[in-house]
Amino acid sequence: MTRILLFLFLFTCPAFAQTGVRLTGQVNDQHGQPLAFATVTIEGSNLSVHTDDDGKFGFTVDPEVVKSVTLKVRMVGMQPFTVTVEGKNYLIPLNIVLKDQNLSLSEVTISAERVDKAASNSSVLFDRESIQQLQAFSITDVLNNLPGKTVQPLDLQSPQNIALRSAATDNAAMNNAMGTSIIVDGIAQNNNANMQNKNLGMYGLTGSMINDYENNTRYDVTFGGLDLREIPADNIESIEVITGVAPAKYGDLTDGAILINRQAGKTDYQFSSRVNAGSTNFSLTKGFALGKKRGALNTNFNYLFSNADPRDKMKTYDRISGGLMWTKRFGSAVKNTLAVDLSKKLDNAKQDPDDGRDLLTWSKNAQYSVSNRTSVEIRHHLVRRVDLNLGFNAGRSETYSQWWLNGAPKGVADKDTTGVYEGFYIPGNYTAVDHILGRPVNFIGSLSVSNQLVTGKVLHHLDFGSNVLYSSNEGDGVLFDSERPRFANSGSKNERPYDFQIVPALVNIGMYVEDRFKFDLLSRELSISAGLRYDLQNGFGSWQPRINARYQLKKDLSLNLAYGIATKAPTMAFRYPGPTYFDIPLINYYTGDVRESLLLVYTWKYTPDNSSLRPSKSTQAEAGLNLKKKHFNTSLFGYYKRSEDGFNAESLIMGVAAPEYTYTAVAGQKPTYAPTGRTFITPGLSSSVATNNVNSDNFGLEWLLNTKKIRAIATSISFSTAFNYSRYHNAGKRIVQAAEEDILADKKAWYGIYNPASFENAYLSSRLNTDTHLPRLGFVLSIITDIVWKDTRKSLSRDEYPFAYLDKDSRVFMIDSFDPADPDYGHLVKQTSAGSEKSNPFAYANFSLRVAKEINKKYRFSINAYNFLNLRQRYYDRVSKTLYTYQQPISVGAQVSVKF
């Protein structure tokens, strides 16, 4: 791949040389003061610059090739400004004035909009004003406003993920969340080094997570995406969500990207306080101008405390975070941004003194990160700009759970090697403990080079570069105490300590080249962004072509087409699960006196080899229409996404031959024992292993409509409807052990092999937003109506009959045509779930309300109410005898924000 990129670079170098003129400008605020660090971008290109300390900027443009350019100017706390410059005016300096962002402006963007000429055809943008209007405790509250999502009451008591363009649930949804990349200031965040789970082989995928058994709440997101609760929204300037095909520069993703840009530059102090039921959040942000040649320093601090039930304070969630960002120019060509961030969270289910079970569960996570972004503008015919991004983060994750057990004495084993040895007995009443300590470490580096080249009359904006991702975990791992097991001898398996420090690091490398260009086709403009990416993940290389194209059918109507392939590497938790230990009792002689008792155990250690675990893969195609009129704009997109090789766990039957022993009881002493020379097979031995067996097909339609403000009623309207359909299944086999009585009856089939689970989900919803904005009063009233037309989940599996079976020696026998009367396997008939369906029998709606009032452009008071009409539509299913309630109770929150 390196040679290919080098060849492309050298091949195109002769075409780089071009003449041009200098397009310059000055950016000031409303008081005539220059604005440093404003971002000026030529839309539809890879060219962007930042204003210097005097607010000046410049581009080199070839008027023979580029007949006009559209500049987008953004600055923290300012209303974005867009201007189109014709070629004949390139030499006339621009004088741009940015207005302060506040509710007194005549035009304020409150709802999210699909962005034209963005990173992807399917990008949806939330700017600073729309984020602030949402009164977000975290970015979860922002992303719930995407098409196909609905406003939800605040939930800070369980981890939050995001799934894009899919209606799938279960493991398919988990893979979708894992494959959604979150990129903060150009630095990709990831969950690759998260290993906060117990033994995968013993407990399976979901069973290996430490849960709050009392509240049925999980605490960690080991096998999914990042926990979005941990990302506050107060210091975010914009969020761009790529729901479709991402540009080639973004790797290690399969299901879109969330691009988060934080505030950088001079800003007022801004203090915000918000409350909702038992949740309280405080934040303080400030951007300091350090003077000429010293740059700007941005600071942020955020604290959140949430009570599940303020009456007893038994389940709480705490989050604290803060950071510094220093932005400085070195000369006229170099801009550098150094950021340091700290965060800590505590998810805690406290011990109830009135409960005799000593239940206690908590999850702690503390981390720090350092990132540096350097952008160098080079006015050379070979290179226009070089960007180097480096990021490092390290943390300490600790998960703990305890439960008082009261039962009979247990015999346990604790050796970590294969062999025969004596175990020991523990009393049946003790406090069982699950405890995991991880120290994830990640290093992210990326280098990109940008330039322009001309072929004929076509200007190409060329990017190429590479990135590397290093992930390791230096934690003490699973701190298992064999004298206090949560589940002893479950399936003849017991857990052992597992040191994460012995686990090898993951190293993923990627390279890409991308070209953005446009030309006239049949007298209409065709814009294309085409790229090719190559990733080396877990030893597997993959080519990933990606293309976004836009054809201007008319002045106000465009056709959008996109296609792309993307991959996500397996995380450390999938790649390096701990060994599975089978503890087969050879002699279990217990008299009540441990001095006279004997537990002889044969331990067999199975270490999985997941070197063949492939990256998951998605292939996506989309088509859409964009219509932009004077008073409104609308878009209709359709997509198909095929997801393959998703990560899951599958049972593997183990045929373990254990030696047989005989013993003789001795009064007052341990029995004597000796091998017989024979072996025996213990039924029911299995281990869960990581696999690539989750596949899904996803189809969907997305329609968005946004109007400009209707002056007569001072109201703008936004409407969206999204339909998502997913059909997914586990490609692996499903193995079920026969009933114990059938095994004891010495029937040949000990295990049945059945078709995997298969489901389909369909989800159709609409949203109507009305935003009434009165600039002279600094007042906004938003009414949000969510309508769920259909939400269906149906099982498609025909799994009552096995297609094969295993005997006691784990030999496989295929079944061509199942015969219930067959004496060997007829007993393996299972009850089928095929055709079972869960669906809302009627459409239901929810109404939410937001009100904001700004005073003197400094003070803002806002209130939000979820389900403010307190609708509680219910349905009683007489077949399952289940009552379904489709809306949560009314939930009211408030926010106060002060600038000073």
Side-chain angles (χ1 to χ4, degrees):
M1 182 63 183
T2 305
R3 293 179 179 178
I4 294 176
L5 292 176
L6 181 61
F7 171 77
L8 290 174
F9 177 74
L10 295 176
F11 178 77
T12 55
C13 279
F16 284 149
Q18 54 183 293
T19 60
V21 298
R22 195 69 177 163
L23 172 63
T24 62
Q26 170 81 36
V27 180
N28 297 326
D29 63 14
Q30 293 170 278
H31 307 291
Q33 296 298 314
L35 293 174
F37 305 113
T39 302
V40 186
T41 304
I42 296 181
E43 289 195 340
S45 77
N46 58 359
L47 293 181
S48 65
V49 296
H50 302 89
T51 56
D52 61 19
D53 294 331
D54 298 319
K56 297 180 180 179
F57 68 91
F59 292 95
T60 300
V61 186
D62 188 347
E64 295 298 322
V65 179
V66 183
K67 303 303 181 184
S68 66
V69 295
T70 299
L71 301 182
K72 185 88 169 187
V73 186
R74 290 183 176 274
M75 176 70 183
V76 57
M78 301 290 181
Q79 186 180 39
F81 181 85
T82 302
V83 60
T84 299
V85 183
E86 300 296 332
K88 62 182 179 180
N89 298 322
Y90 284 167
L91 294 177
I92 302 175
L94 295 170
N95 187 18
I96 297 172
V97 177
L98 297 185
K99 298 179 180 179
D100 292 335
Q101 185 83 59
N102 54 63
L103 294 181
S104 65
L105 296 175
S106 59
E107 294 290 341
V108 174
T109 302
I110 298 173
S111 300
E113 294 185 321
R114 193 175 295 281
V115 187
D116 193 20
K117 300 179 182 179
S120 169
N121 285 349
S122 54
S123 290
V124 176
L125 181 70
F126 299 89
D127 66 12
R128 180 62 201 159
E129 184 56 50
S130 61
I131 294 172
Q132 188 162 330
Q133 187 69 12
L134 293 171
Q135 305 167 39
F137 282 73
S138 72
I139 66 169
T140 301
D141 302 320
V142 179
L143 300 178
N144 281 338
N145 290 272
L146 288 168
K149 307 295 182 182
T150 57
V151 175
Q152 297 293 325
L154 185 66
D155 179 15
L156 294 167
Q157 299 304 319
S158 58
Q160 301 294 314
N161 289 141
I162 184 71
L164 300 176
R165 284 191 168 178
S166 175
T169 55
D170 307 317
N171 289 333
M174 175 199 71
N175 277 274
N176 186 297
M178 182 185 295
T180 301
S181 181
I182 297 178
I183 301 168
V184 180
D185 297 331
I187 306 293
Q189 314 297 301
N190 69 81
N191 206 32
N192 289 353
N194 188 342
M195 299 184 71
Q196 292 301 113
N197 63 287
K198 300 182 293 180
N199 191 286
L200 178 70
M202 180 174 176
Y203 299 104
L205 199 64
T206 57
S208 67
M209 304 296 293
I210 292 182
N211 292 333
D212 176 1
Y213 297 102
E214 182 73 4
N215 300 304
N216 193 28
T217 302
R218 62 191 177 98
Y219 283 74
D220 296 307
V221 288
T222 308
F223 301 110
L226 292 171
D227 187 355
L228 302 183
R229 294 178 303 169
E230 299 185 29
I231 306 178
D234 292 277
N235 65 325
I236 293 177
E237 186 65 17
S238 66
I239 300 176
E240 181 182 343
V241 183
I242 301 175
T243 58
V245 179
K249 68 183 295 184
Y250 301 120
D252 203 37
L253 56 82
T254 52
D255 293 272
I258 299 171
L259 312 181
I260 298 175
N261 297 305
R262 296 186 297 179
Q263 298 176 348
K266 181 183 177 182
T267 65
D268 293 328
Y269 282 100
Q270 179 161 335
F271 172 78
S272 297
S273 174
R274 57 186 66 88
V275 62
N276 189 309
S279 301
T280 305
N281 185 208
F282 303 97
S283 70
L284 179 65
T285 62
K286 167 63 178 171
F288 299 90
L290 302 179
K292 282 193 175 184
K293 299 183 179 180
R294 295 183 181 178
L297 180 68
N298 288 82
T299 65
N300 68 87
F301 172 80
N302 194 287
Y303 173 72
L304 181 147
F305 175 77
S306 178
N307 244 332
D309 187 345
R311 296 170 299 179
D312 59 21
K313 300 182 181 180
M314 294 304 300
K315 174 65 174 69
T316 61
Y317 173 79
D318 291 81
R319 181 194 73 200
I320 184 170
S321 62
L324 298 172
M325 182 185 296
W326 178 44
T327 306
K328 180 180 174 5
R329 295 190 68 95
F330 295 88
S332 61
V334 180
K335 180 191 176 213
N336 192 83
T337 300
L338 174 67
V340 179
D341 294 280
L342 304 172
S343 66
K344 185 176 182 179
K345 70 100 175 179
L346 172 60
D347 211 348
N348 190 15
K350 302 176 183 178
Q351 185 173 338
D352 187 347
D354 299 325
D355 189 319
R357 295 172 294 172
D358 289 348
L359 294 178
L360 173 64
T361 309
W362 45 258
S363 174
K364 300 178 182 178
N365 182 41
Q367 66 175 356
Y368 71 92
S369 62
V370 180
S371 65
N372 192 82
R373 293 172 289 144
T374 303
S375 179
V376 183
E377 298 173 31
I378 302 175
R379 300 177 188 177
H380 193 275
H381 66 281
L382 292 180
V383 177
R384 289 296 182 92
R385 192 179 73 237
V386 176
D387 292 290
L388 175 64
N389 295 343
L390 301 173
F392 173 84
N393 66 69
R396 184 182 189 276
S397 302
E398 187 171 10
T399 313
Y400 178 91
S401 180
Q402 69 178 42
W403 190 326
W404 173 259
L405 299 181
N406 190 10
K410 301 176 176 66
V412 297
D414 62 354
K415 300 296 184 184
D416 62 356
T417 56
T418 297
V420 177
Y421 59 95
E422 293 184 12
F424 57 94
Y425 291 92
I426 60 174
N429 47 354
Y430 59 89
T431 300
V433 173
D434 287 327
H435 194 186
I436 307 172
L437 179 59
R439 295 182 183 273
V441 175
N442 292 281
F443 171 79
I444 307 99
S446 65
L447 175 68
S448 63
V449 178
S450 304
N451 209 330
Q452 296 180 4
L453 65 92
V454 176
T455 57
K457 293 294 183 179
V458 178
L459 176 64
H460 299 260
H461 300 276
L462 184 68
D463 284 339
F464 55 92
S466 63
N467 52 56
V468 61
L469 172 59
Y470 170 94
S471 302
S472 68
N473 198 308
E474 305 301 323
D476 294 335
V478 179
L479 307 177
F480 178 73
D481 185 350
S482 59
E483 295 187 0
R484 296 193 293 174
R486 175 67 185 92
F487 299 100
N489 305 314
S490 175
S492 297
K493 292 174 287 190
N494 285 294
E495 200 163 1
R496 300 289 197 277
Y498 183 43
D499 188 354
F500 294 162
Q501 299 177 60
I502 66 174
V503 176
L506 294 181
V507 180
N508 299 318
I509 300 173
M511 300 180 183
Y512 72 92
V513 60
E514 188 165 46
D515 185 17
R516 296 184 186 182
F517 58 96
K518 57 185 178 181
F519 59 93
D520 287 343
L521 178 64
L522 302 177
S523 301
R524 301 292 181 184
E525 183 181 273
L526 174 62
S527 302
I528 295 178
S529 175
L532 178 64
R533 182 177 182 86
Y534 179 82
D535 276 312
L536 186 63
Q537 300 163 311
N538 199 27
F540 291 86
S542 59
W543 294 94
Q544 303 165 43
R546 302 180 194 174
I547 182 169
N548 281 271
R550 181 184 297 107
Y551 185 57
Q552 206 68 35
L553 297 174
K554 294 183 179 180
K555 181 179 180 181
D556 53 10
L557 179 64
S558 63
L559 170 67
N560 300 269
L561 299 171
Y563 172 84
I565 297 175
T567 62
K568 173 72 181 76
T571 64
M572 294 186 70
F574 282 111
R575 181 68 176 84
Y576 302 112
T580 303
Y581 296 89
F582 295 93
D583 297 324
I584 302 170
L586 307 178
I587 300 173
N588 190 358
Y589 179 76
Y590 182 71
T591 66
D593 185 345
V594 294
R595 295 171 298 180
E596 300 177 347
S597 303
L598 173 65
L599 176 65
L600 190 66
V601 178
Y602 172 70
T603 292
W604 186 64
K605 178 181 178 181
Y606 169 70
T607 302
D609 178 13
N610 289 340
S611 59
S612 61
L613 201 62
R614 301 181 300 277
S616 60
K617 176 184 176 182
S618 71
T619 304
Q620 185 167 190
E622 68 177 17
L625 292 171
N626 267 334
L627 178 63
K628 299 186 69 172
K629 291 291 188 178
K630 180 179 180 181
H631 299 294
F632 72 91
N633 61 76
T634 184
S635 64
L636 176 64
F637 274 75
Y639 71 88
Y640 166 70
K641 179 169 60 177
R642 170 68 177 172
S643 300
E644 302 173 274
D645 295 332
F647 308 116
N648 197 10
E650 178 181 291
S651 292
L652 179 65
I653 298 300
M654 301 295 186
V656 180
E660 185 180 77
Y661 275 72
T662 183
Y663 70 94
T664 301
V666 180
Q669 300 180 27
K670 286 187 177 182
T672 60
Y673 56 89
T676 66
R678 298 186 296 271
T679 60
F680 65 96
I681 302 294
T682 301
L685 298 185
S686 65
S687 177
S688 292
V689 294
T691 60
N692 288 110
N693 63 14
V694 177
N695 298 326
S696 66
D697 292 283
N698 306 274
F699 306 84
L701 290 172
E702 299 169 348
W703 176 34
L704 275 72
L705 171 69
N706 295 83
T707 72
K708 299 293 184 180
K709 182 187 291 187
I710 303 172
R711 299 295 177 182
I713 57 176
T715 300
S716 59
I717 298 172
S718 63
F719 177 79
S720 67
T721 291
F723 171 72
N724 294 300
Y725 170 85
S726 298
R727 183 186 180 108
Y728 59 102
H729 68 279
N730 297 330
K733 54 187 178 296
R734 188 169 64 94
I735 302 176
V736 179
Q737 183 180 335
E740 185 176 357
E741 57 267 25
D742 293 318
I743 292 178
L744 294 176
D746 200 27
K747 293 186 178 179
K748 186 175 181 180
W750 279 25
Y751 308 92
I753 305 178
Y754 301 82
N755 287 320
S758 180
F759 301 92
E760 68 175 8
N761 283 55
Y763 188 79
L764 174 62
S765 66
S766 297
R767 168 174 292 180
L768 174 66
N769 278 31
T770 61
D771 300 309
T772 301
H773 175 215
L774 304 176
R776 296 183 64 181
L777 299 179
F779 177 83
V780 173
L781 169 65
S782 299
I783 299 177
I784 305 97
T785 304
D786 286 317
I787 304 174
V788 177
W789 304 100
K790 199 68 176 175
D791 185 5
T792 301
R793 183 177 190 266
K794 184 178 181 181
S795 173
L796 305 175
S797 303
R798 300 296 305 180
D799 55 0
E800 66 268 43
Y801 301 128
F803 62 85
Y805 69 88
L806 300 171
D807 66 5
K808 65 179 180 179
D809 297 318
S810 298
R811 292 179 297 180
V812 179
F813 297 86
M814 302 304 296
I815 303 175
D816 296 327
S817 178
F818 188 87
D819 181 5
D822 190 285
D824 290 335
Y825 59 76
H827 56 285
L828 296 177
V829 178
K830 299 292 181 183
Q831 182 177 357
T832 181
S833 60
S836 63
E837 182 174 336
K838 178 183 176 182
S839 176
N840 56 307
F842 47 77
Y844 59 92
N846 180 73
F847 299 89
S848 298
L849 178 73
R850 299 191 190 104
V851 180
K853 175 68 174 75
E854 195 172 68
I855 301 175
N856 295 331
K857 303 179 184 179
K858 297 292 185 182
Y859 308 95
R860 180 180 294 202
F861 305 90
S862 56
I863 297 175
N864 70 83
Y866 164 83
N867 190 16
F868 72 93
L869 298 179
N870 202 27
L871 300 176
R872 303 300 304 280
Q873 291 171 278
R874 296 178 172 89
Y875 170 71
Y876 181 73
D877 189 333
R878 297 181 182 277
V879 177
S880 63
K881 297 181 180 180
T882 304
L883 178 64
Y884 296 98
T885 302
Y886 294 105
Q887 296 105 334
Q888 298 293 321
I890 185 173
S891 175
V892 180
Q895 175 177 300
V896 177
S897 180
V898 182
K899 293 181 179 179
F900 57 96

